[in-house]
Amino acid sequence: MTELSKARRAAVTALLAAGLGLAFTPAAHADGPAPEAVPAADLAGARSAVQDPSVLDKVGRFFARKGVPPTQQLTIGAAEEAKAAGDAAPRLAGDTVPVYTLDAGFVAGNPGAPVAKAEFTASKVVAADGQTASVWTVRQGDAWRVVNIASGGDESDYAAKAAGSGGGTAFREPQVNAWYVLRDGRVLPLDDEARRSVGSGGVSLAAYQQLVHQRYGDKLPGSAYDRDGKGGGYPLETGAEAAPKAAPVAAAGGGSAVPAVTAAAALGATALAAAGVGAGAVLRRRRGLR
């Protein structure tokens, strides 16, 4: 992963903190509740939003730009860009999946808090030339809205990897770019960052709670760390290699399985919730599965 990629990820995760004051007392969480499942009807609604022709047209333009930020001009003209977008012929691949993120309540040790909560849904889209992108959607009221287009397909790929290796809930710890699966009371790694975090064999859910509390317990929203404006993070040493900067953990949301308010706040860095899926899309460059 390049330094630019890490910086872009950090820019997104740095805005995950929202203003909730949370207790900092760790709990055992030996057999804590599983993350809340997202209803199939919600996933179908999210997928339908991505299938809208206007959204697929924007995804085609995303592919046509091949990593050039929408704020910069291409070396080709508008007509050529439009043709390249059409030639991309984007199509959905695989399932639309909920994306679970480490929960602030779990980090704080709040009784009954799940290890992760659904922040948004993701649909993998493939171009005719093999490029892939992940289209993120959140529910706003009764409708689903696309809020980001990200290069690659981590969200769908890691969910599929978890399902194919024994099941469980895939979730991410964005502060260190790590993907895990919660299975039978254990937190197991899905990528290199997670292996550096918990080892190849993973750890118990209770041990993982203690680990993330140690990392972020004094950096949750409302903490002195947060109030002092240090939300950009701190270097987290994991073995011989330092992980990317750690950002405060997102505040827990309520309501539906994919809380619209929490998800929209988490994706605020994209500026897409206000501006639509056009020029604000984040171009995340990522490696494939490890």
Side-chain angles (χ1 to χ4, degrees):
M1 182 179 296
T2 65
E3 291 302 320
L4 180 58
S5 175
K6 292 178 181 178
R8 284 173 175 158
R9 281 178 178 266
V12 174
T13 59
L15 292 191
L16 288 175
L20 287 182
L22 297 172
F24 297 153
T25 303
H29 286 281
D31 293 299
E36 182 179 357
V38 175
D42 282 357
L43 296 177
R47 189 176 186 84
S48 179
V50 177
Q51 290 174 317
D52 185 280
S54 64
V55 172
L56 291 178
D57 176 69
K58 291 180 175 68
V59 177
R61 292 182 179 275
F62 179 93
F63 287 135
R65 301 190 71 87
K66 296 185 183 296
V68 177
T71 54
Q72 297 180 16
Q73 291 187 344
L74 297 176
T75 56
I76 60 176
E80 290 84 355
E81 179 184 352
K83 182 180 183 304
D87 291 343
R91 59 177 178 81
L92 271 71
D95 297 328
T96 295
V97 299
V99 180
Y100 293 89
T101 302
L102 178 64
D103 181 58
F106 178 83
V107 173
N110 292 353
V115 66
K117 286 191 175 181
E119 292 284 356
F120 54 93
T121 68
S123 303
K124 188 175 182 178
V125 182
V126 180
D129 64 359
Q131 293 185 80
T132 59
S134 182
V135 181
W136 299 0
T137 49
V138 298
R139 188 168 65 187
Q140 296 181 338
D142 294 330
W144 285 87
R145 185 173 184 180
V146 175
V147 293
N148 189 35
I149 303 170
S151 62
D154 285 3
E155 292 77 17
S156 301
D157 291 345
Y158 285 118
K161 187 175 183 180
S165 62
T169 302
F171 71 96
R172 59 179 189 151
E173 183 184 336
Q175 295 78 11
V176 292
N177 296 331
W179 284 88
Y180 310 89
V181 58
L182 174 64
R183 180 185 303 142
D184 298 329
R186 291 188 65 80
V187 175
L188 305 171
L190 290 175
D191 66 359
D192 287 343
E193 288 84 353
R195 276 185 284 276
R196 286 193 290 270
S197 173
V198 298
S200 297
V203 295
S204 69
L205 185 60
Y208 181 68
Q209 193 279 329
Q210 293 173 2
L211 178 65
V212 294
H213 180 81
Q214 180 182 19
R215 289 175 178 170
Y216 315 122
D218 61 347
K219 297 170 179 65
L220 289 163
S223 66
Y225 178 88
D226 183 31
R227 291 193 301 272
D228 288 344
K230 298 177 181 177
Y234 66 103
L236 172 67
E237 299 291 338
T238 53
E241 181 175 340
K245 296 289 186 178
V249 178
S256 66
V258 181
V261 174
T262 300
L267 298 176
T270 68
L272 295 180
V277 174
V282 172
L283 305 182
R284 256 189 322 168
R285 311 315 304 170
R286 300 174 294 194
R287 296 177 296 181
L289 288 178
R290 284 72 171 174

